[in-house]
Amino acid sequence: MERLQKIIAQAGIASRRKSEELILSGKVEVNGEVVTELGTKANPDEDIITVNGKPIRSEKKIYIMLNKPKGVITSASDPEGRKIVSDYLKGIKERVYPVGRLDYDTEGLLLLTNDGEFAHLLTHPKHHVPKTYLATVKGVPHGTALDQLRKGIMLDDGMTYPAEVEYKDVDTDKKEAVISITIHEGRNRQVRRMFEAINHPVTRLKRISFGGLLLQNLKRGLYRHLTKEEINNLMQSAQSAAEKNNKK
């Protein structure tokens, strides 16, 4: 017997949080009866579970890393007709969704999966899974400005968790710098807002690492499947980060 939201997430219907919303909104039935209690358990091998009237089926779990180009959104569809990440997943029959997000103008490492538990583990705010970006910014930030990011900086939605920051390149002719920054949260447009807060706006942003997994030489617009070792390492990274956070 497993919690209903976990079964739905593992079937690739939605993330665990979205699965909980489906239950609360009365869109889930077990053996013909509507269930709205989040603590409800069921047996996926014996019980008939439906979402929006359709029985769920266990899908093969798939884990993908995409080098998302700039100018692509992570939504399932776009009314404006812009490119979406699924346009780059030719050959993938399973319905996958992004693990976290990269905004329209940000490129780089994006994970996609149909494993709701995996996605939840990597994106839960309390787990502080590290994500590293290369940010090209206007001007050359002084060391004291970067120290503000290292200590945590106040944004309109609160103080950020301390970041790891270092110079990667400085171009005095173009008056810009490339800064490596590792954050442990997943707030909306967080890196861009952090650099705006120290008056050095980002002109290009690329994620190169997620939980220790490196983008490396994967070409822009292409994807590959993660290995079992990479999947295990990501889960261990999230669990280790959660344990460290719980001790604080």
Side-chain angles (χ1 to χ4, degrees):
M1 301 288 284
E2 294 183 288
R3 287 179 179 270
L4 199 51
Q5 59 263 43
K6 181 177 180 181
I7 296 172
I8 296 170
Q10 288 180 333
I13 303 298
S15 67
R16 190 165 72 172
R17 189 178 68 178
K18 290 293 184 182
S19 297
E20 291 175 349
E21 292 175 4
L22 288 170
I23 294 169
L24 291 171
S25 61
K27 296 179 179 179
V28 178
E29 294 183 5
V30 178
N31 299 324
E33 294 186 9
V34 175
V35 174
T36 56
E37 187 70 38
L38 291 182
T40 302
K41 292 186 177 182
N43 186 331
D45 297 321
E46 297 179 4
D47 295 315
I48 299 174
I49 303 167
T50 63
V51 177
N52 289 320
K54 296 180 180 180
I56 67 173
R57 294 177 297 172
S58 295
E59 282 188 317
K60 175 186 175 184
K61 296 296 181 287
I62 127 181
Y63 310 85
I64 293 169
M65 176 170 69
L66 169 71
N67 186 347
K68 179 185 116 41
K70 179 181 178 180
V72 176
I73 62 173
T74 56
S75 301
S77 62
D78 181 50
E80 297 179 27
R82 294 173 296 182
K83 278 190 169 293
I84 57 177
V85 290
S86 59
D87 292 335
Y88 295 87
L89 302 179
K90 304 303 182 186
I92 301 298
K93 297 179 181 178
E94 294 84 356
R95 189 187 75 86
V96 296
Y97 47 88
V99 179
R101 288 182 175 272
L102 288 180
D103 66 43
Y104 182 74
D105 290 323
T106 301
E107 59 187 293
L109 195 163
L110 179 67
L111 295 176
L112 300 106
T113 187
N114 58 356
D115 185 339
E117 286 297 301
F118 176 79
H120 176 76
L121 186 64
L122 291 179
T123 56
H124 196 288
K126 292 183 179 179
H127 293 174
H128 293 303
V129 176
K131 295 168 281 286
T132 301
Y133 298 77
L134 289 181
T136 303
V137 302
K138 290 183 179 179
V140 180
H142 193 274
T144 54
L146 295 188
D147 283 340
Q148 294 179 56
L149 305 183
R150 294 188 181 103
K151 294 175 183 177
I153 193 164
M154 181 60 72
L155 301 179
D156 56 9
D157 53 357
M159 184 72 75
T160 65
Y161 196 79
E164 298 158 35
V165 189
E166 63 176 306
Y167 295 103
K168 283 297 181 182
D169 191 25
V170 173
D171 190 327
T172 52
D173 293 332
K174 291 184 178 180
K175 296 181 180 179
E176 66 179 21
V178 178
I179 310 292
S180 169
I181 178 168
T182 299
I183 62 173
H184 302 265
E185 302 162 283
R187 303 189 203 180
N188 184 42
R189 302 184 77 254
Q190 181 176 339
V191 172
R192 294 180 185 277
R193 290 191 292 135
M194 289 173 72
F195 279 104
E196 285 169 6
I198 61 170
N199 299 312
H200 289 279
V202 171
T203 58
R204 182 186 178 191
L205 190 60
K206 181 177 183 178
R207 184 157 69 192
I208 59 171
S209 175
F210 190 122
L213 178 69
L214 303 177
L215 182 63
Q216 294 183 318
N217 58 354
L218 183 64
K219 292 183 179 180
R220 184 183 295 120
L222 297 185
Y223 73 87
R224 70 170 178 83
H225 293 270
L226 301 188
T227 66
K228 287 184 179 179
E229 183 180 8
E230 288 172 334
I231 296 165
N232 291 334
N233 287 343
L234 281 168
M235 296 180 76
Q236 289 174 6
S237 172
Q239 289 164 349
S240 297
E243 289 171 3
K244 287 181 182 177
N245 186 52
N246 289 336
K247 290 178 181 179
K248 292 181 179 179

